[in-house]
Amino acid sequence: MNKKYIIFNWKMNFTVSESIEFSNNIIKSLANLKNKNIEIIVCPTFMSLPYCYQILSSIVKLGAQNISHTDHEYGSYTGEISAKMISDYAEYVILGHSERRIFLNEGNSIINTKRLFSIKNNIKPIVCIGESIDIRNSGKHIHFLENQIKECIDSDYEDKIVAYEPVWAIGSGENCDLGKVEEISKLTKSILGNDTLFIYGGSVNKDNIHSYLSSSSIDGVLIGSASLDKNSIEEMLNIIDANS
Ligand code: PGA
């Protein structure tokens, strides 16, 4: 079986001291994972990133949750953090998460710009796409997703990683049916190529992680809420080992 990716998106959770404590609490479970065909990527806040890196980087990869859209390593951009600045710690960056698209008005073109800056700084972009419930119910989701994919990612780049996260499945406990996810995987790979890594996110937890990871068209999962709890991480990792 191909390598599978498990991405923990901690979003705006954990202070620096809390993330240090949490990282120390989960380090044993992460280190005990027997399945070496799994790559775990932990994405804390910018502030916690260097600390989590110190604690966890010998066992997992680290990622950031955003970067600046300005193509400068340094400069007069108050409040911004450049791709260069995270590159000491992060091998990955999550871009275009629906929470940023909705709350911060990020559009496809800004996401594409950030994607290019991250590649320039040797950071692999994980580009999120996903439709709202209204779009899904209207039956126009395929067209909508196709557009997001085409406007956010050029097919001629390497390291293409797409995270399909239907907005209605995020944090709702209502994970997307495997068949529907596989349909979007097919769509994504038909546009970007079979070398694209296709990740699913949206209410992934111990009860459904195995079904997603066992699908040959899904390369990994992006986990929010269930990655904030030590026991749930332990349970998910145990399930992975029990089924490998
Ligand atoms: P969730 O979040 O696992 O809590 O649904 C996923 C995400 O938004 O990345």
Side-chain angles (χ1 to χ4, degrees):
M1 200 185 259
N2 287 342
K3 188 172 182 179
K4 301 278 174 170
Y5 295 77
I6 298 182
I7 306 160
F8 292 167
N9 178 10
W10 287 355
K11 307 191 181 184
M12 197 177 74
N13 289 293
F14 298 142
T15 62
V16 169
S17 58
E18 285 164 352
S19 61
I20 292 172
E21 192 186 340
F22 190 72
S23 297
N24 281 320
N25 280 339
I26 59 170
I27 195 165
K28 220 169 142 197
S29 320
L30 296 170
N32 283 346
L33 181 70
K34 289 183 200 69
N35 187 335
K36 298 300 170 209
N37 213 15
I38 298 272
E39 180 154 313
I40 297 179
I41 303 161
V42 177
C43 304
T45 63
F46 285 131
M47 291 191 69
S48 296
L49 185 56
Y51 298 91
C52 293
Y53 179 85
Q54 294 227 325
I55 300 166
L56 298 174
S57 64
S58 60
I59 301 168
V60 300
K61 307 283 187 199
L62 276 296
Q65 300 172 19
N66 180 37
I67 49 163
S68 172
H69 64 284
T70 54
D71 186 18
H72 293 95
E73 295 179 353
Y74 315 102
S76 303
Y77 299 99
T78 304
E80 289 296 273
I81 294 184
S82 69
K84 158 91 176 162
M85 289 169 182
I86 65 162
S87 66
D88 285 342
Y89 311 104
E91 198 168 306
Y92 293 87
V93 62
I94 299 171
L95 296 178
H97 191 284
S98 61
E99 286 152 11
R100 297 195 63 82
R101 290 179 186 263
I102 295 165
F103 301 127
L104 294 147
N105 269 329
E106 279 192 10
N108 293 340
S109 116
I110 262 196
I111 293 159
N112 187 38
T113 305
K114 291 183 180 190
R115 189 182 61 82
L116 295 173
F117 297 161
S118 64
I119 291 168
K120 207 164 145 187
N121 285 277
N122 292 320
I123 298 161
K124 296 174 191 140
I126 301 162
V127 177
C128 301
I129 58 164
E131 80 286 359
S132 65
I133 193 66
D134 289 347
I135 295 174
R136 162 78 52 180
N137 288 341
S138 73
K140 295 191 177 122
H141 56 288
I142 297 290
H143 175 71
F144 177 84
L145 294 167
E146 204 176 301
N147 205 44
Q148 280 193 329
I149 295 167
K150 287 182 178 161
E151 290 188 4
C152 293
I153 307 167
D154 307 324
S155 56
D156 48 348
Y157 273 95
E158 286 174 11
D159 291 329
K160 288 167 297 219
I161 312 172
V162 171
Y164 172 52
E165 300 207 300
V167 178
W168 46 272
I170 295 177
S172 63
E174 217 188 296
N175 60 300
C176 185
D177 292 351
L178 184 60
K180 288 181 182 158
V181 178
E182 287 174 331
E183 184 190 13
I184 307 304
S185 169
K186 213 165 146 195
L187 171 79
T188 305
K189 295 192 185 205
S190 75
I191 298 169
L192 298 176
N194 278 331
D195 57 338
T196 308
L197 294 179
F198 180 86
I199 310 291
Y200 168 72
S203 298
V204 174
N205 58 33
K206 65 175 173 41
D207 299 323
N208 55 41
I209 190 168
H210 175 62
S211 72
Y212 294 118
L213 292 181
S214 55
S215 164
S216 60
S217 50
I218 302 173
D219 299 292
V221 287
L222 204 161
I223 308 171
S225 330
S227 73
L228 299 171
D229 178 77
K230 178 182 181 286
N231 293 334
S232 109
I233 290 177
E234 231 168 67
E235 284 168 335
M236 290 189 288
L237 298 179
N238 286 340
I239 285 166
I240 290 167
D241 267 345
N243 288 286
S244 53

